[in-house]
Amino acid sequence: GGEAGGEAGGEAGGEAGGEGVECALSPPEQRALLGLLHGYYSTVSDGLVAAHSELRSIERSNQKALLARGELSEEAAAAHERARKAHERVLTAARAMGEPLGVPLPSLSAGGDEEEEKKESVVVSLSTSANADDGESGGGLYADAEERAFYEQLPDLRAVLPAVLFSEEGDADTSGLEEAMRRLPSCSSRREVDDLASELTMRGLRSARRPLVRALLSPPASAADAPRCYARLAAVLSGAFKHVGSEVGSLVAAEFEQLAERPEQDLPARLRNAAYVGELVRFGLVSPPSVFGMFKACAGAFSAAQLGVVVALLEACGRFLHASPASHERMDAMLGALSQLRSVHRALPPDLLAELDAAIAACRPAEEIEARAAPELPPLQRYVLHLLHEQLTAGTAEVVVRQLRKLPWRDEPEVGRWFAAAALSAAEVRFHAIPLLATVCSHLLPFQEAAVLRVVDGAVEALRLVIDRPGIDFDAAKQSRRRGCLVRLVGELYAYRLLDSRAILRILYWLVPKQDTPSDTSADTSADTS
């Protein structure tokens, strides 16, 4: 028995300590020690998984903060640095223990990351549900399936071409590369761009990348599809040669800053650059924080030139940034800020302001605009709107007046404001019912004088704004229709003696075109005397 135990101990010692070295521990003690080491390694592995999950959580939080505010606070940066160092320490300890034990490291791609990805995928599916049916509803990242394929379905060159084409060895076919790059401006479809990317790689692009990067910086102005095709080529090649996409994105963004230093010069070049930046954003070659910085720089000096650049950026990537979950909140705030700037800077060219309105509207889905434009109204206010917008006809005018008189005017002070707003809005959309609205106001005057006077004052003020500030609405047909409705409403109110002659003469004077001549002073004096 002792000989057997010695032989077993010698064999175990040879396995544990190497040839010719006996282990001082008996086999049961070895098994116990090995169990302790495995248990300790299991604890270290759990700590590694926890440290990795914490680091990934901090990185996701920092990424969201960076997209929302454009910068990280010192506390967030310090927390990330502490988590990174802790993760490195635990990872080093796990490797040091795992290698002698012959145990692999735990998988760090599972666990909390998968749960977080599932949560984020729910958010993505909610915001891009329109794309699930090939983008037919038009409210997602892309307008249709073809557009989504152009931006998302990129070929993997490393999977379809020989690996030797991606090594650093070998010479490039210079003449063949130059010939292929000369075809770049003529590319106008997804297939042509992908074929060109494959040909460039086979011609030896691995050793002549810099000339291609320079060629990708200047899409031709003559081709409308050039920016999106150039951006797709950069994205396809970036999958095989990582630095191609990053260099193109950084150089185009740097060109944007250089052109911004002389905003009134080279405006066509600035507009082409802004459109190209937007396409690179959609391919992920320019980060959303960078383009938000461009928006902010243009909004800081809101001139006509800067407005054109903003419109170009919105048309190129505004809808994409608004529909992307990671940048939706910040893009929505940016659209609100641009709308406020547009309302303040009315002296800018009307055609540019109209283009800005159209670009902002195109960034938001139609259903979102309708939801914002239709807030929930109190039941009593809805009833007032129902009476004046739907019930009022030539045969029901007396019934509408009786129902309006029954409203709680004294108990609910807002009824007067609701009535005035409903009357003015009905006049702007029901031209044929304007005489009936004046009739209702005339019959209500003995009972609710304040509310009727609110309608009269509102009609005169709205007409004055339309006459004095014609640039407030850039839809000419809508503006003309609104002006005609308000003029007829004022005329009907005068017919019921709710306005006097002086008010009508004042409105007529507003309608007379004015010129900067010395005769204006005498005209003003005669009008005031009248």
Side-chain angles (χ1 to χ4, degrees):
E3 293 178 357
E7 291 176 0
E11 291 175 0
E15 292 176 0
E19 290 189 16
V21 179
E22 287 192 12
C23 180
L25 301 178
S26 63
E29 291 174 335
Q30 292 179 29
R31 288 193 293 270
L33 178 60
L34 191 61
L36 289 175
L37 291 175
H38 277 286
Y40 184 71
Y41 178 76
S42 178
T43 303
V44 174
S45 299
D46 293 341
L48 177 60
V49 173
H52 177 75
S53 299
E54 182 180 1
L55 178 61
R56 293 290 296 122
S57 177
I58 293 175
E59 288 177 349
R60 284 191 294 268
S61 300
N62 289 351
Q63 181 67 17
K64 292 178 181 178
L66 189 63
L67 290 171
R69 297 187 293 271
E71 59 182 1
L72 289 178
S73 62
E74 296 181 0
E75 295 80 0
H80 178 268
E81 185 64 19
R82 288 194 299 269
R84 186 185 64 80
K85 291 182 178 179
H87 177 267
E88 289 181 355
R89 288 195 299 269
V90 181
L91 179 60
T92 302
R95 284 174 177 170
M97 289 194 64
E99 290 178 2
L101 293 174
V103 181
L105 290 175
S107 176
L108 300 180
S109 61
D113 286 351
E114 290 184 353
E115 295 298 326
E116 186 65 26
E117 290 175 0
K118 289 179 181 178
K119 294 178 182 178
E120 292 179 355
S121 67
V122 174
V123 179
V124 172
S125 65
L126 289 175
S127 62
T128 60
S129 57
N131 288 331
D133 298 326
D134 293 337
E136 293 178 358
S137 63
L141 291 173
Y142 308 108
D144 50 36
E146 183 178 355
E147 182 178 338
R148 181 169 61 176
F150 186 89
Y151 288 101
E152 289 188 352
Q153 295 179 10
L154 304 180
D156 185 359
L157 298 180
R158 289 185 178 271
V160 297
L161 296 178
V164 68
L165 296 174
F166 305 99
S167 64
E168 295 299 330
E169 302 175 359
D171 297 329
D173 181 3
T174 306
S175 60
L177 276 174
E178 292 178 354
E179 181 184 354
M181 283 191 287
R182 281 196 292 268
R183 299 207 317 270
L184 176 57
S186 62
C187 291
S188 59
S189 67
R190 178 162 58 103
R191 181 179 295 277
E192 292 178 355
V193 172
D194 297 346
D195 292 344
L196 180 60
S198 299
E199 182 176 353
L200 288 171
T201 304
M202 290 186 293
R203 297 284 187 179
L205 179 63
R206 63 188 181 278
S207 57
R209 294 185 290 259
R210 194 161 298 279
L212 176 65
V213 170
R214 288 197 298 267
L216 287 173
L217 296 180
S218 304
S222 58
D225 289 336
R228 65 198 300 258
C229 291
Y230 274 53
R232 179 179 174 87
L233 180 60
V236 171
L237 293 176
S238 180
F241 308 100
K242 296 296 182 184
H243 67 283
V244 171
S246 60
E247 285 188 14
V248 171
S250 60
L251 290 175
V252 172
E255 183 184 5
F256 183 93
E257 297 179 357
Q258 293 174 1
L259 293 173
E261 295 177 357
R262 47 182 191 275
E264 303 301 330
Q265 304 175 6
D266 299 333
L267 183 58
R270 292 195 69 197
L271 297 180
R272 290 195 300 270
N273 175 263
Y276 194 21
V277 167
E279 295 296 339
L280 293 174
V281 169
R282 302 185 72 172
F283 282 105
L285 302 181
V286 173
S287 64
S290 298
V291 77
F292 284 128
M294 298 174 187
F295 276 121
K296 187 176 180 181
C298 293
F302 209 60
S303 61
Q306 303 285 24
L307 179 57
V309 175
V310 169
V311 171
L313 284 173
L314 288 176
E315 291 177 345
C317 63
R319 175 178 174 175
F320 175 83
L321 292 173
H322 189 267
S324 299
S327 57
H328 170 79
E329 183 177 352
R330 192 173 183 189
M331 189 62 201
D332 196 59
M334 181 61 67
L335 293 177
L338 291 175
S339 299
Q340 292 180 357
L341 286 173
R342 176 249 178 275
S343 62
V344 172
H345 295 79
R346 295 193 180 96
L348 293 172
D351 55 339
L352 281 179
L353 291 176
E355 292 179 6
L356 178 62
D357 290 339
I360 292 176
C363 293
R364 293 191 173 112
E367 56 270 17
E368 179 180 340
I369 298 175
E370 293 176 1
R372 293 188 178 193
E376 186 66 22
L377 301 177
L380 190 57
Q381 184 178 4
R382 293 202 301 270
Y383 181 65
V384 174
L385 288 170
H386 169 72
L387 289 176
L388 297 181
H389 280 256
E390 301 175 11
Q391 290 295 108
L392 183 59
T393 61
T396 61
E398 294 184 2
V399 177
V400 170
V401 171
R402 285 199 300 269
Q403 294 299 318
L404 289 172
R405 288 180 58 186
K406 294 178 181 179
L407 297 177
W409 298 86
R410 293 183 179 179
D411 299 336
E412 184 62 63
E414 292 293 320
V415 173
R417 183 176 63 84
W418 293 339
F419 169 74
L424 293 175
S425 62
E428 293 183 9
V429 297
R430 301 185 65 197
F431 185 82
H432 64 282
I434 290 178
L436 299 176
L437 290 170
T439 301
V440 170
C441 291
S442 175
H443 283 77
L444 275 181
L445 182 64
F447 309 100
Q448 303 297 334
E449 182 178 359
V452 174
L453 293 180
R454 189 190 290 265
V455 174
V456 175
D457 292 342
V460 174
E461 180 63 16
L463 181 58
R464 185 188 68 81
L465 289 176
V466 171
I467 294 172
D468 289 353
R469 297 157 62 185
I472 196 171
D473 191 342
F474 299 103
D475 186 345
K478 179 180 178 181
Q479 182 188 29
S480 177
R481 182 172 61 252
R482 183 166 184 254
R483 183 167 52 241
C485 291
L486 290 172
V487 167
R488 184 176 185 185
L489 177 61
V490 169
E492 294 293 341
L493 293 175
Y494 174 73
Y496 280 95
R497 299 191 177 184
L498 299 178
L499 276 170
D500 57 11
S501 300
R502 288 179 299 177
I504 297 298
L505 291 174
R506 190 181 304 113
I507 294 173
L508 292 174
Y509 175 68
W510 292 340
L511 292 170
V512 174
K514 301 175 181 60
Q515 298 179 355
D516 296 331
T517 59
S519 60
D520 285 348
T521 305
S522 59
D524 293 346
T525 306
S526 61
D528 292 341
T529 304
S530 301

